[in-house]
Amino acid sequence: MKKVAKFGGSSLASAQQFKKVGSIIEADPARRFVVPSAPGKRYGSDTKVTDLLYACYDRAAEGKDFTELFDKIKERYYEIINGLGIALSLEEEFTNIRDQFEAQAGRDYAASRGEYLNGIVMAAFLGFDFIDAAEVICFDENGEFDAEKTDRMLKARLEGVEHAVIPGFYGSKTDGSIKTFSRGGSDVTGSIVAKAIMADEYENWTDVSGFLVADPRIIKDSKVIETITYRELRELSYMGATVLHEEAIFPVRKEGIPIHILNTNAPEEPGTLIVESTCRVPKYTITGIAGKKGFASISIDKDMMNSEIGFGRKVLQVFEENQIAFEHMPSGIDTMTVFVHQDEFEQKEQKIISGIHRAVHPDYMELESDLALIAVVGRGMRATRGTAGRIFSALAHARINVKMIDQGSSELNVIIGVKNDDFEEAIKAIYDIFVTTQI
Ligand code: ASP
């Protein structure tokens, strides 16, 4: 059994957190490869080391004195090292990093040092090998991630290695310069390593006990999703639910390696298992609810629209020419409605309206703003009668006017449009009917 265990920034923010990680690694010999983030926040108003590094480097790049911020970063690591009581000096590393800052080695280089140094500390603490991600995570000359080369390099480097720490978030380009993934990218590194070693499981340790059925800012004490499929996760993440970096699912998904979201502060809790497919029956009919505010709709009416071949294409072409992506497009016999992001649309509104007039000569058009979209997602919906009925009666009881309904043919989700002001109440009503009352 082989596992990759990735730990997020809050799991590694202090010596105390490192000790929890140590116990977790010790508790399961399969946890042989560890991918750490940089130290995150110790408390709400604290600053992540990555943000300190960016700020520090920006001063260096402007030719300003950056000693104060640099010392703050050093302090964060020494607080951890001293708290762990390990004999490790990072002085040489810090001197080198300082020189590189002065030589303006780049923002990516600067940010990557958070994970790099944390990897060295973690390897010393656990007694594991340290493998610099710059050796094994490869980007091409344009800065695009090179999956194939990375896989080859990782496989070769990890051959015969029993235990190793590989820092997350960065790699190197063909010219040797450092390149990072986007923020939160250590999740991606963990997934890439898990694929390369064909891990049995990719554990992603964080500060929540898994993926929640609904946003905890709206539903206090929301239940945790026990098992979720990659497709369900995509639907929910797209609608704003975040725990994992969006790109982290691709490397492991292809190989059928499950991702297990776990809580460093409560390792005994089961967490959420993300899998390709499962015959485990979901606890509730729905798996999760997520949504976003800030949409606008453009409804277009024209008699006999249904017999006018190419009508939809012409309308969508106007959006394409104005570089506006559309979210949903429910239609009737002689009407179609296009949902777009309001902030993007507002800037080009008049151009798009005149474009549609010219393209399809509609009888009339109606715009509505301040709309929210809610996705009710669940693989269990397909086999359950009356799911849509329950959603809409719950919304009716809560006196919420439904503006739009869209059910994907996969029956994996139902998308509901409501006014922005009804957003929170709508989510509560749906959560209550499926989870709280569990009927
Ligand atoms: N430390 C980086 C960030 O704050 C990457 C990560 O934590 O995954 O975005």
Side-chain angles (χ1 to χ4, degrees):
M1 189 85 155
K2 281 183 290 195
K3 289 182 184 173
V4 170
K6 179 260 165 181
F7 291 89
S10 56
S11 302
L12 301 168
S14 63
Q16 199 196 357
Q17 291 298 86
F18 260 74
K19 286 180 188 163
K20 290 184 193 168
V21 169
S23 314
I24 289 167
I25 298 295
E26 225 171 69
D28 184 352
R31 294 179 179 133
R32 290 173 39 198
F33 301 95
V34 175
V35 175
S37 281
K41 293 184 183 194
R42 292 160 292 186
Y43 41 87
S45 59
D46 199 11
T47 310
K48 293 177 172 190
V49 164
T50 309
D51 290 312
L52 290 174
L53 285 160
Y54 278 125
C56 184
Y57 183 77
D58 288 345
R59 282 192 71 84
E62 285 168 21
K64 291 187 185 146
D65 180 37
F66 58 88
T67 312
E68 204 182 306
L69 272 174
F70 201 75
D71 285 346
K72 252 191 178 172
I73 296 164
K74 283 171 82 170
E75 246 170 60
R76 290 290 310 262
Y77 287 98
Y78 279 119
E79 192 188 295
I80 295 170
I81 292 170
N82 295 336
L84 294 175
I86 47 175
L88 174 71
S89 167
L90 293 177
E91 271 320 294
E92 223 175 281
E93 296 290 351
F94 280 123
T95 308
N96 184 23
I97 294 169
R98 216 194 141 89
D99 291 348
Q100 293 295 328
F101 272 38
E102 268 158 10
Q104 308 207 344
R107 277 191 113 223
D108 279 16
Y109 166 81
S112 76
R113 296 306 88 182
E115 273 69 10
Y116 171 78
L117 294 168
N118 228 20
I120 295 177
V121 177
M122 176 67 87
F125 175 55
L126 296 174
F128 283 17
D129 293 352
F130 171 75
I131 296 177
D132 186 354
E135 283 177 44
V136 284
I137 306 289
C138 310
F139 293 85
D140 67 16
E141 58 277 18
N142 303 317
E144 293 296 323
F145 173 62
D146 187 336
E148 205 199 305
K149 185 173 169 197
T150 298
D151 202 49
R152 235 183 314 119
M153 300 290 279
L154 266 171
K155 281 193 165 87
R157 181 65 183 81
L158 293 177
E159 175 84 54
V161 173
E162 267 307 301
H163 297 102
V165 175
I166 305 152
F169 190 38
Y170 71 94
S172 64
K173 297 207 288 191
T174 34
D175 64 1
S177 61
I178 297 291
K179 167 89 188 133
T180 63
F181 291 109
S182 54
R183 293 298 304 264
S186 299
D187 284 344
V188 185
T189 310
S191 180
I192 293 164
V193 176
K195 174 193 152 70
I197 64 153
M198 287 295 158
D200 295 281
E201 196 170 284
Y202 167 30
E203 291 184 340
N204 192 290
W205 292 85
T206 176
D207 53 9
V208 289
S209 291
F211 221 85
L212 300 174
V213 173
D215 188 334
R217 287 167 299 187
I218 300 172
I219 306 290
K220 231 175 97 234
D221 301 324
S222 163
K223 297 274 187 226
V224 172
I225 300 170
E226 285 171 7
T227 310
I228 185 169
T229 65
Y230 284 114
R231 285 180 64 211
E232 290 174 315
L233 182 73
R234 277 285 287 159
E235 300 279 354
L236 289 172
S237 322
Y238 182 70
M239 276 301 199
T242 49
V243 168
L244 200 65
H245 191 294
E246 231 187 9
E247 286 160 40
I249 66 174
F250 299 113
V252 283
R253 179 178 182 171
K254 274 193 215 141
E255 306 300 334
I257 300 169
I259 305 179
H260 201 169
I261 309 281
L262 290 154
N263 189 349
T264 303
N265 304 316
E268 66 291 347
E269 290 188 5
T272 300
L273 199 63
I274 309 168
V275 295
E276 179 60 39
S277 57
T278 176
C279 58
R280 287 191 208 184
V281 180
K283 197 157 168 194
Y284 315 105
T285 308
I286 60 162
T287 302
I289 316 161
K292 283 197 263 193
K293 288 183 180 178
F295 292 94
S297 70
I298 303 100
S299 298
I300 304 152
D301 276 45
K302 188 178 182 188
D303 280 345
M304 305 302 284
M305 177 192 289
N306 68 326
S307 55
E308 199 176 318
I309 290 171
F311 190 96
R313 180 187 52 75
K314 287 180 205 157
V315 169
L316 293 183
Q317 196 165 356
V318 177
F319 287 91
E320 185 181 341
E321 280 161 5
N322 285 284
Q323 290 290 296
I324 297 281
F326 76 93
E327 289 290 312
H328 286 281
M329 199 185 55
S331 60
I333 303 285
D334 289 332
T335 70
M336 66 181 275
T337 305
V338 183
F339 276 76
V340 290
H341 286 272
Q342 190 165 331
D343 52 351
E344 289 170 16
F345 175 70
E346 267 171 4
Q347 298 161 22
K348 297 175 178 167
E349 180 188 74
Q350 295 309 316
K351 271 179 86 181
I352 293 174
I353 292 171
S354 58
I356 296 174
H357 271 294
R358 253 176 276 134
V360 293
H361 310 289
D363 294 337
Y364 76 90
M365 261 196 278
E366 198 175 280
L367 302 186
E368 185 159 5
S369 56
D370 302 322
L371 297 170
L373 293 177
I374 297 169
V376 185
V377 176
R379 61 189 184 281
M381 296 197 306
R382 191 189 303 196
T384 318
R385 227 172 341 120
T387 310
R390 278 160 66 198
I391 296 174
F392 298 116
S393 62
L395 293 174
H397 279 297
R399 304 190 161 279
I400 291 163
N401 187 16
V402 175
K403 296 271 170 190
M404 193 269 301
I405 306 163
D406 200 351
Q407 175 170 15
S409 53
S410 63
E411 291 187 52
L412 190 67
N413 63 2
V414 177
I415 312 276
I416 300 145
V418 297
K419 283 301 254 180
N420 274 347
D421 289 346
D422 288 333
F423 179 69
E424 283 84 6
E425 281 310 312
I427 289 187
K428 280 185 199 151
I430 298 167
Y431 183 89
D432 276 351
I433 197 86
F434 287 105
V435 182
T436 313
T437 53
Q438 266 196 63
I439 48 166

